[in-house]
Amino acid sequence: MRNQRMLMVVMANWLMVLSGCLGGGDSLPPIPIPTLTPEPQPYRAQTSWDDGVLSVTVPTPDGQVRTLDTARNFEATWGRFLPRPVQPNFSSREWFLADNHYDGRIVLYAAVSWDNTDPTDYLSGGWWLTYPPDVPYEEFESATLRAFADGPELDPANPPDLPITGTATYVGGMSGFYTYHYGRNWGELADSSDFTEFAGPMSLTADFDQNRLMGCLGCNGPIETAPGRHLYPLVPWRRSDPESLPADYDLHFEAAFGANGTFEDTTVTVAHPDRTITASAGTWQGQFSNVSDVEGNPRRVVGSTDVLFAEDDGSQGQFQGFFDVLTPATLTPPGGNAVNTE
């Protein structure tokens, strides 16, 4: 009997120890919610489009400017990923440019679309990276990455004549750079990071009565990986997708816009159907076109974003992108059907 009582005591103590190991005693500590500090992404650059030559003047981190053009700084051109222009009667081209200067390297992806009947009606956009001296282009983490857009319809000296009442819808897309730092639920990937380019459908609604602009990236279709879309060879075409895909994230935006058609706001949230988002923060800024569609609304809205988010396992992600959306009336040829922007 005495031995049985000793055995019961030992088993009880062992069960208490075991329950402590399985319970709260040795459970993983909670992960603190990080402070997320997104940075505004200035997207303006000075460009010119003259007789088929595109020039882009890039501001550098030291406050200077450098100008690259498609005649002097040409590295490559291709039509592999550039979709057909979404505006009727428009053409487009794209280039990869480089400037290897004593003060540091600049690599730049640039695309331009123009009206075949009026080449002065053009819009240029793309990405540039400015490197410190003696840093090879493969080490792009050391470079400053920025998106840009420019054209006569975005001239700040010629702001749009906004409607006083009514609403307008805009559809198009956002593309950019997606990074993800894996938290503790990712096994062997924990504490590592991955990146790729992304592209996804974006829609906006402008309420001219309230001077409010609202929209979403990813609500009308998945955000897809797009390696090499703009930043090849920094992000090669055949680069493997991250284990954490951007596909199921939705990014929601809201802003007030001024009488000059510009806006800048931090009302940005991130959602995912299967993951707990513990924090999100972002900036987005942009402007309305000064060219109206047939219904009297600005024909497009362009801008840039920097969106950060954190999840309950310590994972963190970022969407750094540029968007271009147009009214359905702008996408519809006379007597035709709307162009598919997906």
Side-chain angles (χ1 to χ4, degrees):
M1 180 67 75
R2 181 173 180 274
N3 290 337
Q4 288 180 340
R5 285 197 300 268
M6 289 292 296
L7 179 61
M8 292 177 65
V9 171
V10 171
M11 290 182 63
N13 290 335
W14 180 79
L15 287 172
M16 290 177 65
V17 173
L18 181 61
S19 64
C21 292
L22 296 179
D26 287 339
S27 61
L28 293 173
I31 295 174
I33 298 175
T35 300
L36 306 177
T37 54
E39 297 182 4
Q41 303 293 307
Y43 60 89
R44 187 171 305 285
Q46 182 179 351
T47 69
S48 67
W49 173 243
D50 184 19
D51 197 23
V53 175
L54 176 69
S55 295
V56 183
T57 298
V58 175
T60 58
D62 61 2
Q64 304 299 311
V65 296
R66 304 239 297 270
T67 299
L68 288 74
D69 67 56
T70 55
R72 184 180 67 251
N73 303 102
F74 172 83
E75 290 286 330
T77 186
W78 54 86
R80 185 186 300 257
F81 297 115
L82 190 64
R84 73 184 178 108
V86 296
Q87 293 174 257
N89 199 43
F90 272 65
S91 297
S92 63
R93 281 202 64 181
E94 62 183 345
W95 297 268
F96 190 76
L97 309 178
D99 178 30
N100 191 28
H101 193 276
Y102 177 84
D103 292 334
R105 187 190 316 268
I106 293 179
V107 294
L108 183 146
Y109 166 86
V112 63
S113 62
W114 67 93
D115 189 332
N116 289 309
T117 60
D118 180 13
T120 63
D121 179 9
Y122 78 91
L123 181 71
S124 175
W127 296 84
W128 75 69
L129 294 96
T130 54
Y131 289 79
D134 301 321
V135 175
Y137 78 87
E138 298 93 341
E139 298 180 13
F140 62 89
E141 296 89 349
S142 301
T144 299
L145 173 65
R146 288 289 184 265
F148 74 93
D150 185 61
E153 65 185 298
L154 303 181
D155 185 354
N158 182 25
D161 184 14
L162 297 179
I164 299 175
T165 62
T167 63
T169 60
Y170 295 85
V171 293
M174 180 190 293
S175 59
F177 204 59
Y178 166 75
T179 58
Y180 193 87
H181 181 79
Y182 295 96
R184 64 189 181 191
N185 289 348
W186 285 92
E188 294 181 353
L189 290 175
D191 294 326
S192 66
S193 297
D194 213 340
F195 64 89
T196 189
E197 289 190 72
F198 76 88
M202 186 169 185
S203 58
L204 294 176
T205 299
D207 183 339
F208 296 108
D209 293 275
Q210 302 295 324
N211 291 340
R212 301 295 297 178
L213 187 65
M214 295 178 291
C216 180
L217 168 69
C219 292
N220 297 328
I223 303 172
E224 299 179 343
T225 59
R229 177 74 61 90
H230 302 111
L231 299 177
Y232 178 85
L234 307 177
V235 184
W237 292 319
R238 295 181 177 85
R239 180 179 175 83
S240 299
D241 284 343
E243 288 296 318
S244 174
L245 294 172
D248 291 326
Y249 290 99
D250 294 339
L251 280 61
H252 298 266
F253 303 89
E254 186 172 350
F257 55 83
N260 63 353
T262 65
F263 57 91
E264 181 174 347
D265 212 306
T266 58
T267 308
V268 181
T269 58
V270 179
H272 192 284
D274 302 316
R275 301 175 187 171
T276 301
I277 307 295
T278 57
S280 62
T283 67
W284 73 305
Q285 48 277 311
Q287 67 183 96
F288 289 85
S289 167
N290 60 22
V291 179
S292 299
D293 65 12
V294 295
E295 297 175 353
N297 297 310
R299 71 178 181 182
R300 75 183 342 126
V301 183
V302 301
S304 54
T305 66
D306 184 22
V307 180
L308 304 173
F309 63 92
E311 298 170 352
D312 60 352
D313 72 334
S315 297
Q316 295 186 36
Q318 180 180 26
F319 288 91
Q320 186 180 5
F322 174 81
F323 60 89
D324 180 17
V325 292
L326 298 100
T327 62
T330 303
L331 300 170
T332 306
N337 297 317
V339 176
N340 185 358
T341 60
E342 296 182 3

